[in-house]
Amino acid sequence: MKEAINDKATIHYRTCPLCEATCGLEIHTLEGEVVHIQGDKLDPLSRGYICPKGYSIKELHSDPDRIRTPMIRHGADWKEVSWEEAFSEIEKGLIPIIQEYGRNAVATYLGNPNVHNLGGLIYAPIFLRALGSRNIFSASTMDQIPKQLSSELLFGSDAYIPIPDIDHTHFLLIIGANPLSSNGSLMTAPNMRKRLNELKSRGGKLIVIDPVRTLTAKLADEHYFIRPGSDGRVFHS
């Protein structure tokens, strides 16, 4: 954290938690209010790039409906409480359920943005182990389990997801993906347009196989349409 040189604002360097790209943010605050957000040019991953979601953090932070303190519902009414009161309420409701129905009666869900919060990465696994339930759901179970299953079958673990070295490759084949829209999901590669353009400028080749003319397909050197529900022979022919 350092003083901004142009005014009395203070600059905080943070990681954007809104998607897997985890871009570096430079957040300017004045008396507790966010007055400006831009990309952190010194971040080795995002290099100053942020998407519109990163800019929107200012609006999210100042939204009057944002929850700023724990709340407990009594009927249709909500009451702000202290953290001690909140944990006491959780204990009062959670322990009887576990005692009567077992730990698997409790389910958890992890997703954006808590899984991209650095504190959450440290403490969520500890909490899950203490809870002891096998019912753990996440954004992964909703949209990327096939990729994780194939990684487990091929490499021995669902965490061993191969990540292409886009910044050094000279040939990239993309099948059924649109990283210009997903910001390089499962590749953690912010500013995919710049990275793909750099691939092409160094003499590399980008090929997309997709039934839809996506943004990425429009950028590609070659785009091959395939018929959904068919097999490789259709493409080969």
Side-chain angles (χ1 to χ4, degrees):
M1 184 170 66
K2 68 178 182 180
E3 291 299 318
I5 60 175
N6 59 338
D7 52 28
K8 296 181 180 180
T10 301
I11 297 177
H12 308 261
Y13 292 96
R14 297 292 186 267
T15 300
C16 181
L18 297 182
C19 85
E20 181 203 342
T22 58
C23 299
L25 299 179
E26 186 179 290
I27 304 174
H28 298 233
T29 64
L30 184 62
E31 298 180 355
E33 294 295 324
V34 177
V35 294
H36 177 67
I37 293 179
Q38 64 186 44
D40 179 7
K41 295 181 180 179
L42 298 180
D43 187 283
L45 181 64
S46 56
R47 308 171 193 170
Y49 170 84
I50 56 174
C51 78
K53 289 184 293 185
Y55 287 111
S56 72
I57 287 181
K58 177 181 183 299
E59 283 67 34
L60 290 173
H61 180 76
S62 59
D63 192 318
D65 291 331
R66 182 170 69 90
I67 296 176
R68 293 167 168 78
T69 181
M71 302 184 72
I72 293 178
R73 185 175 66 180
H74 296 287
D77 299 323
W78 290 88
K79 176 186 177 184
E80 293 186 356
V81 298
S82 66
W83 282 104
E84 289 76 13
E85 292 174 292
F87 285 124
S88 177
E89 186 75 9
I90 293 171
E91 180 181 5
K92 184 171 64 176
L94 189 61
I95 290 180
I97 292 175
I98 293 176
Q99 289 176 339
E100 182 173 357
Y101 301 105
R103 293 185 176 273
N104 292 329
V106 181
T108 60
Y109 181 88
L110 304 174
N112 300 5
N114 60 3
V115 295
H116 302 130
N117 178 283
L118 299 182
L121 289 174
I122 296 173
Y123 293 107
I126 299 174
F127 168 77
L128 294 175
R129 283 196 297 269
L131 186 62
S133 173
R134 68 184 181 190
N135 293 314
I136 302 174
F137 305 95
S138 69
S140 298
T141 64
M142 299 295 290
D143 67 11
Q144 66 192 49
I145 279 298
K147 182 68 174 179
Q148 291 183 269
L149 176 59
S150 64
S151 297
E152 181 170 350
L153 295 174
L154 287 169
F155 309 116
S157 171
D158 63 349
Y160 295 162
I161 297 175
I163 300 176
D165 188 359
I166 299 173
D167 295 333
H168 298 93
T169 189
H170 284 75
F171 180 86
L172 182 62
L173 174 65
I174 298 178
I175 304 175
N178 186 16
L180 287 189
S181 292
S182 66
N183 226 349
S185 183
L186 290 182
M187 293 188 287
T188 313
N191 202 353
M192 279 296 298
R193 181 177 295 277
K194 182 174 183 293
R195 283 181 152 90
L196 294 179
N197 279 325
E198 288 176 346
L199 180 152
K200 297 173 67 175
S201 66
R202 61 175 174 264
K205 194 168 187 178
L206 171 64
I207 296 179
V208 171
I209 301 175
D210 199 300
V212 179
R213 193 184 301 275
T214 63
L215 291 175
T216 307
K218 293 177 182 178
L219 183 67
D221 296 295
E222 299 177 18
H223 174 209
Y224 295 95
F225 291 91
I226 54 175
R227 184 181 306 152
S230 60
D231 58 24
R233 289 174 295 180
V234 176
F235 169 68
H236 179 71
S237 63

